[in-house]
Each structure stands twice: as C-alpha cells, then as structure tokens.
Amino acid sequence: MEFKDKMEQLIAELNNYNYHYYTLDQPLVSDKEYDALYDELVALEQETSVTLPDSPTQRVGGEILKGFAPHRHQAPLWSLDKAQNIEQLRTWHERVIRLVNDYNTKNPDNTLPSPCYALELKFDGLTLNLTYQDGRLVQASTRGNGTVGEGILSQVKTIKSVPLTIPYADGTIEVQGEGIMNLSVLENYNKTAAEPLKNARNAAAGALRNLSPKVTAERKLNAYFYNVGYSDDITFNDHKEMMNFLRENRLKVNPYIFYFEQFDDVMEQLADIEKGRSDLDYLIDGAVVKVTDFRIREALGYTDKFPRWAVAYKFEAEETTTVLQSVTWNVGRTGKITPLARVEPVDLAGVTVQNCTLNNIGDIERKNLKFALGSRVFIRRSNDVIPEILGKVTEEQDGEEILYPEECPSCGFPLEQRGAHLFCNNKTGCKPQIVARITHFASRDAMDIETFSDKTAIQSSMS
Ligand SMILES: [Zn+2]
C-alpha cells in the first residue's frame, strides 16, 4: 500500500495549502507549485482508481444529481428575532436585563453575571449546516424549515474554505454558517460569463441549490461559520470559546466579531458597520447581537421561533426589485444619448425610487434587459448617482422589447452608434446639447453669474 501513503501525504499537503489560501488568506505556495502537486494526486488517483474521502479532487463537482435528499438537523436551526430600528434593539436589550434579573431573584445562590454581547455581521447568502462525523464531513444541508433541510453535500464540497475533515473527531457535530459569493469573485465571473449574475446572494443560493455541482464549483463560493448547533459531548462556556473551537477546527470565521460589556458600545459599533458595509467584499444585510455567556443563554431560552439571547439588526436594503415600466432617451452635452428607466415606485434605503440609470445600449444588452419592459428587475442604490438596474429577476425574455431610437429624441437627427453608445452628431442644432454646453462652460469658468441657470442658458441659446 505504498501508493496510499503517498496519496495521504499529498492530500495532507494540498489541504494544508488550501486552508492557508482560502480560509486564512495567507498563501504558502504559488499556484504553480500547488498545481504540480494537485496533478500528481490526480494521476495517482487515476492510476489506482482510489479516491480518499478528504481528497481535494472531490471539490471540482461530480455528476449531475437527481435531487436533494432531505437532511434532518441534529438540533433545530433557529431563526432570529429581528430589530428594524434602534428602539426595537433597546427593547430587546431591556428584556434580556429583565429576564436576567428575574432569574437572579429566583436563584439567589446561583446568580447569572451581567450580560456581555458579541456583535457579528449578518451575511446575505444561504445558510449552511455542516455535519461532521468522527472528523469527516458527511453531510451539508440548507436550513429548510429549521428541522429538515435539503442535502447539498456535493455542492458544498466545492467551497474550498470548507474543510472536508476536521481535527475534532469525537462523534457528531453540526456547525452553521453562510455560503456566500464574494463581490470581487462575482465581478470576475461576470467578465467572461455568457449570462452575467445580477446579485451575489442569488448567485450563491442558486449555485448551492443547483443539481450540477460543477456549476457550483464555477462560482467559486466562500463560507463563514458562526455556530456549533449540535455536538455529542462538547460544551462551551461562552461565545468566544465556541468561535475558537471553530477556528481550531479550520472552519472559516469572519474577522469582524466584536465583544462588548456595555450595550451602548454595541450601538456605536453597529453604526460603524453600517457605514462601512459598502467596503466589504461580500453582502451583509445587517448585524447580529448575541449574549455571550452560555449560562445566560440557557436561562433566557427560546420562544417557539427564536432564541431570546440573540437578535438580528437589519440594515436598510441596498438592493430591491421593482418593475421596469418605460425607458426614455436623453441627450447629453457631448451628444451622447442616455437611457433613463422609469420604474414602479419602490422604497430603497428610505428613498422612493422612480428613476434608474441604464447607462447605455451596450449595458442593456449585457444585462439581458432588451426584453425586460414590464418585468421585474433588480435595482441597487448607489451613493453618487440614481440607482442602477442590475438585471432581470427571471432569465426568460418575457417582457416587451426596449426599442432603441434611430433619431435624436430632441432634434430628430439620425443617431450614430459608437461602441456601446448612441450619439446625436447635430452639434450646432440640437438644443439640449447647446444648453448643456453653455451651462458646462459657465460652471467651469466660474462665471460671475450666480443665477446662471438652465433657463438663462436656453434663452441665450435662442438669442
Ligand atoms: Zn439631437
């Protein structure tokens, strides 16, 4: 069995490199060195027709599956109580304090400490439940109804930050986390994809619930873990201990975890997270506040839906869906024709959105929006400009066609297409161009006319 020793050695080496690369973000070797070892393992597996259970070659995604086998979770996967605003968060906190005080009054000999809090990001992806048996990943499933989920082991194995084996080998444990697609990965994927993906959350969830694990593998997903939901015999005193257990077992834990003794500090940090969320390389839709002490957790217990010791604070959505109603075409200063989309009014981050940008006709084609009039589209808010349409919600070409103008909507001059854009070349006779030019030069030269407005520009262009 000499080949098996060699195989085990290669696998251990490759898995260690994987762990440093995908989980710790600290590569130990170059891609070239990694690939050479990987190819050696593939050759050995082909030669011997043996594949060991923790071989990284299993991560490419195998045959197309017939369906999802149900998986009954060892312990329920709870949903979370939600706070939509700071007042509701305070109310949650006051209840925690009240319940702890009640407990302490009833149990004067065995009082609980003052609650401390962990603050974590709430990832916008698909919840995963991993089952390890004696150190080996034997199942991965969706949350489902919290009691029974769908088995997606082959799909989850393609996530390279998910360890196929872990050091902890004493019976069964289940850990929960979130499968996500990093935004940079989504962007790269879309550069060459025949059908670009509109939204990282849907891209991750769709890939994990795809019956072809090869499709899952192509999406290069990632995952963060935040809970040990079940174990045969391991117990923790607090959240920190549990998170350390996850890290020691090579499960990827997000670096943004904050611990606080004062609830006011939680609030302050929440505001910082919300402010900085657009800098993250993944989507979050909020943050989760958890009581850290496990004795307090036990004393607080559960409602029929969620634990009383945790609450999700939802940020305002950055993306939503609405119906694309019509497209109008506007002439800019350089003669460039820009499509402006009118959408069914929808609330996004506290603002009612009615207009969205479509950039240009190349963008309409690229985002598969040519036949999207009257259908539902994703929109994303942006700090600088009006919201952007990301794409259609469904793949079907079931909407009305967006017709491109052949003549300038303002002066009737025939339009010319250059690259992704349409242009009106009637520089001297197209009013919006003239007006925009005058306004532009006026503002550029900082002319000494504070009241110089579009109206004045129109008048001077006519004189
Ligand atoms: Zn024109």
Side-chain angles (χ1 to χ4, degrees):
M1 292 298 273
E2 196 193 320
F3 78 86
K4 215 168 171 188
D5 290 343
K6 179 68 190 163
M7 222 178 227
E8 276 169 0
Q9 181 213 323
L10 279 170
I11 289 171
E13 221 171 322
L14 286 164
N15 283 346
N16 189 43
Y17 292 149
N18 261 331
Y19 170 63
H20 278 85
Y21 188 92
Y22 291 102
T23 304
L24 302 179
D25 294 321
Q26 292 164 353
L28 292 180
V29 289
S30 68
D31 290 355
K32 206 178 145 196
E33 289 164 285
Y34 181 91
D35 290 346
L37 288 173
Y38 187 88
D39 292 345
E40 199 181 336
L41 177 63
V42 171
L44 197 56
E45 285 179 351
Q46 275 167 357
E47 198 184 302
T48 59
S49 302
V50 172
T51 306
L52 297 180
D54 55 346
S55 167
T57 62
Q58 295 182 88
R59 292 188 185 275
V60 293
E63 287 165 21
I64 294 181
L65 308 169
K66 289 197 182 68
F68 304 104
H71 169 76
R72 182 168 287 273
H73 307 309
Q74 297 282 335
L77 269 62
W78 301 92
S79 41
L80 287 173
D81 196 359
K82 285 174 192 65
Q84 303 286 0
N85 52 50
I86 293 295
E87 292 78 62
Q88 289 177 8
L89 201 57
R90 282 215 178 275
T91 307
W92 173 82
H93 172 239
E94 280 156 15
R95 191 180 59 199
V96 168
I97 297 295
R98 197 178 61 237
L99 290 170
V100 167
N101 288 341
D102 286 354
Y103 180 94
N104 287 346
T105 311
K106 283 178 205 152
N107 303 276
D109 303 328
N110 187 27
T111 57
L112 298 168
S114 291
C116 296
Y117 302 93
L119 179 62
E120 299 176 345
L121 305 181
K122 188 169 179 298
F123 307 102
D124 201 5
L126 189 78
T127 301
L128 300 176
N129 181 42
L130 307 185
T131 312
Y132 287 91
Q133 225 163 52
D134 301 328
R136 183 167 297 166
L137 180 66
V138 294
Q139 181 60 293
S141 60
T142 64
R143 181 178 178 282
N145 61 10
T147 307
V148 178
E150 291 172 324
I152 49 169
L153 179 61
S154 304
Q155 290 87 342
V156 168
K157 275 184 176 174
T158 70
I159 305 177
K160 291 183 174 159
S161 49
V162 169
L164 302 175
T165 54
I166 56 170
Y168 180 81
D170 298 332
T172 302
I173 67 164
E174 287 195 343
V175 298
Q176 282 100 48
E178 193 91 351
I180 57 159
M181 189 169 189
N182 283 105
L183 297 175
S184 56
V185 172
L186 179 84
E187 202 184 320
N188 269 330
Y189 180 93
N190 280 349
K191 275 180 194 156
T192 54
E195 287 196 12
L197 303 164
K198 290 148 285 205
N199 165 288
R201 197 204 84 84
N202 290 42
L208 286 163
R209 294 193 70 264
N210 195 303
L211 287 172
S212 171
K214 277 205 168 68
V215 172
T216 324
E218 282 164 11
R219 302 261 170 107
K220 298 187 167 66
L221 302 184
N222 197 355
Y224 288 113
F225 293 88
Y226 47 73
N227 192 46
V228 178
Y230 172 85
S231 94
D232 281 346
D233 64 357
I234 190 165
T235 53
F236 306 103
N237 291 315
D238 61 28
H239 195 67
K240 247 181 211 171
E241 249 182 59
M242 189 175 73
M243 297 316 277
N244 282 338
F245 173 85
L246 290 174
R247 281 192 206 94
E248 282 160 13
N249 282 283
R250 301 194 155 196
L251 287 146
K252 193 165 186 171
V253 172
N254 191 272
Y256 292 97
I257 304 182
F258 308 88
Y259 294 95
F260 298 103
E261 289 178 11
Q262 301 298 327
F263 197 71
D264 283 345
D265 296 338
V266 174
M267 309 282 241
E268 213 166 285
Q269 188 64 47
L270 262 182
D272 281 355
I273 294 174
E274 186 158 16
K275 240 183 281 160
R277 69 191 284 210
S278 55
D279 296 333
L280 297 171
D281 191 24
Y282 39 83
L283 297 177
I284 58 171
D285 58 358
V288 183
V289 186
K290 297 172 178 172
V291 172
T292 52
D293 187 276
F294 276 38
R295 267 185 69 223
I296 301 182
R297 287 190 185 185
E298 208 185 316
L300 295 179
Y302 298 79
T303 70
D304 53 352
K305 282 204 205 84
F306 33 70
R308 290 195 187 88
W309 45 263
V311 64
Y313 178 75
K314 299 277 274 183
F315 294 154
E316 290 192 281
E318 300 209 299
E319 287 184 18
T320 186
T321 68
T322 182
V323 175
L324 173 58
Q325 291 178 324
S326 62
V327 176
T328 55
W329 303 83
N330 302 297
V331 191
R333 176 172 56 87
T334 59
K336 193 187 275 177
I337 311 291
T338 317
L340 182 74
R342 191 153 260 272
V343 297
E344 197 176 276
V346 62
D347 188 70
L348 181 61
V351 181
T352 304
V353 174
Q354 277 180 293
N355 294 312
C356 292
T357 178
L358 277 166
N359 298 314
N360 53 58
I361 60 172
D363 208 43
I364 292 173
E365 304 283 344
R366 196 175 61 79
K367 290 173 175 169
N368 202 18
L369 288 165
K370 180 75 175 139
F371 292 88
L373 272 187
S375 45
R376 198 155 270 280
V377 291
F378 285 103
I379 65 171
R380 176 190 287 161
R381 86 161 166 167
S382 146
N383 289 330
D384 323 313
V385 288
I386 60 173
E388 180 191 9
I389 294 191
L390 301 172
K392 252 175 123 281
V393 170
T394 59
E395 303 295 334
E396 289 92 59
Q397 305 279 321
D398 51 1
E400 295 282 311
E401 183 178 3
I402 297 176
L403 295 169
Y404 303 150
E406 287 172 8
E407 290 158 0
C408 175
S410 177
C411 71
F413 203 79
L415 297 180
E416 185 198 355
Q417 182 172 353
R418 297 205 293 270
H421 301 275
L422 291 170
F423 287 90
C424 167
N425 292 327
N426 186 10
K427 296 274 173 216
T428 51
C430 185
K431 201 192 285 172
Q433 294 191 51
I434 301 166
V435 172
R437 268 203 306 273
I438 295 172
T439 317
H440 175 74
F441 290 125
S443 61
R444 196 186 61 174
D445 298 342
M447 285 166 72
D448 192 21
I449 25 177
E450 302 269 318
T451 54
F452 198 91
S453 65
D454 280 2
K455 205 171 150 206
T456 332
I458 288 173
Q459 281 159 1
S460 51
S461 81
M462 289 190 301
S463 58

